[in-house]
Amino acid sequence: MADHVVDPVGNEDVDWDLFDSQAYFAHNYGTLRWDDAAIIKIIADFFGASLPDKFIGHAIDVGSGTNFYPALAMLPYSFRVTLFERAYSNREWLSHSLEQPQSSWSDFWAEIASGRRHYDRITRPLELLADRAEVTKGNVFDLRPNRYNLGTMFFVAESITTRDDEFRRATRLFVDSLVSGAPFAAAFMRNSSGYFVGNKRFPACSVSEEDIREALDPVARRLEIQTVASDDLRDGYCGMMVATGRKK
């Protein structure tokens, strides 16, 4: 008997406006997890080492969802932070939470700022983020090139499709949206098989360190990929990966 072949699920096959933002936030960011603390160390140290004291540019966080910590990690270096998000539910969550941030973000900021002078001198980070952030409706596949001075993309490219080609295209379009030489940080679930938000299942593309390197090599230089051990957030993955580098 022939093996059953599961049809691929592309990004356009999903109604992203049905994403349960509150359920996702509560499960992932209601408290500071140790794996996020490990990722924070990687990206905050990277931006601190990559950018001069007085650098101020236009940052983008692609697919922000219900996660503020990538944007907070770019805050000392940004006069504006574009929170680029496709799902209506997530854009509504972002707008509301910028005005009335959840208490857990103070713990995330304490982790970001700990021992890092660029961050530690910001006394009211959530107010500053609300002042500088711009929630923007956008699809990663519609990003335009050469626009932003630094960027982040967390758990997006591998979590919006089961198709390898869409994963690679989303990853490259993110980096290509930056100006030449701009630093970036991107995080990925390792070998993800899909995930539930509330009672709805969403697709994922199973990727490894090699897949990330293949996707980024054409557009990035000084590329480093670090793994973060994690196995208890949900079923169907085996760790996280963080890629840092600069656009070619």
Side-chain angles (χ1 to χ4, degrees):
M1 182 180 294
D3 292 337
H4 176 67
V5 177
V6 177
D7 291 334
V9 178
N11 181 252
E12 291 298 327
D13 297 325
V14 179
D15 186 349
W16 293 101
D17 289 341
L18 297 179
F19 198 92
D20 188 335
S21 307
Q22 186 55 41
Y24 192 81
F25 165 79
H27 184 72
N28 291 275
Y29 305 116
T31 59
L32 173 61
R33 289 172 48 88
W34 63 271
D35 41 16
D36 282 317
I39 293 173
I40 282 169
K41 175 173 172 51
I42 293 170
I43 65 171
D45 286 349
F46 169 71
F47 284 128
S50 300
L51 294 166
D53 281 0
K54 295 183 179 180
F55 179 88
I56 296 290
H58 185 179
I60 186 170
D61 179 45
V62 174
S64 301
T66 62
N67 184 4
F68 278 152
Y69 82 74
L72 288 168
M74 296 188 288
L75 197 55
Y77 314 105
S78 311
F79 69 87
R80 185 189 310 166
V81 183
T82 293
L83 304 179
F84 196 78
E85 172 58 45
R86 179 174 183 174
Y88 173 80
S89 54
N90 285 340
R91 295 197 305 275
E92 288 291 292
W93 185 96
L94 288 164
S95 296
H96 175 77
S97 297
L98 285 169
E99 295 179 2
Q100 300 180 40
Q102 295 80 5
S103 60
S104 60
W105 297 119
S106 296
D107 296 329
F108 281 84
W109 178 257
E111 191 71 27
I112 292 169
S114 178
R116 300 180 179 95
R117 57 189 176 85
H118 292 176
Y119 298 95
D120 195 47
R121 59 192 175 201
I122 297 175
T123 57
R124 296 179 178 174
L126 294 167
E127 290 182 21
L128 187 60
L129 180 62
D131 183 60
R132 295 183 179 179
E134 178 181 64
V135 179
T136 300
K137 180 180 180 180
N139 184 334
V140 62
F141 297 111
D142 295 331
L143 282 168
R144 296 170 61 187
N146 305 313
R147 299 197 63 183
Y148 305 98
N149 303 107
L150 66 163
T152 50
M153 182 179 69
F154 273 47
F155 310 116
V156 175
E158 82 290 9
S159 301
I160 58 173
T161 181
T162 66
R163 291 173 45 180
D164 294 341
D165 63 318
E166 288 193 336
F167 160 75
R168 288 191 296 271
R169 187 156 62 96
T171 303
R172 291 170 186 170
L173 285 169
F174 157 62
V175 175
D176 201 41
S177 73
L178 309 176
V179 299
S180 180
F184 68 85
F188 306 86
M189 302 299 284
R190 189 171 185 270
N191 295 336
S192 178
S193 61
Y195 57 104
F196 278 92
V197 180
N199 60 4
K200 183 170 177 59
R201 184 171 177 83
F202 290 89
C205 184
S206 179
V207 298
S208 65
E209 295 92 328
E210 293 76 15
D211 295 315
I212 295 169
R213 187 169 297 281
E214 180 184 347
L216 286 172
D217 270 344
V219 293
R221 58 185 176 89
R222 299 185 188 177
L223 179 62
E224 293 189 18
I225 301 171
Q226 300 182 57
T227 58
V228 173
S230 178
D231 62 5
D232 63 345
L233 179 63
R234 58 171 172 80
D235 293 334
Y237 80 110
C238 55
M240 303 176 184
M241 302 169 287
V242 183
T244 57
R246 290 182 179 269
K247 182 187 174 181
K248 284 184 176 178

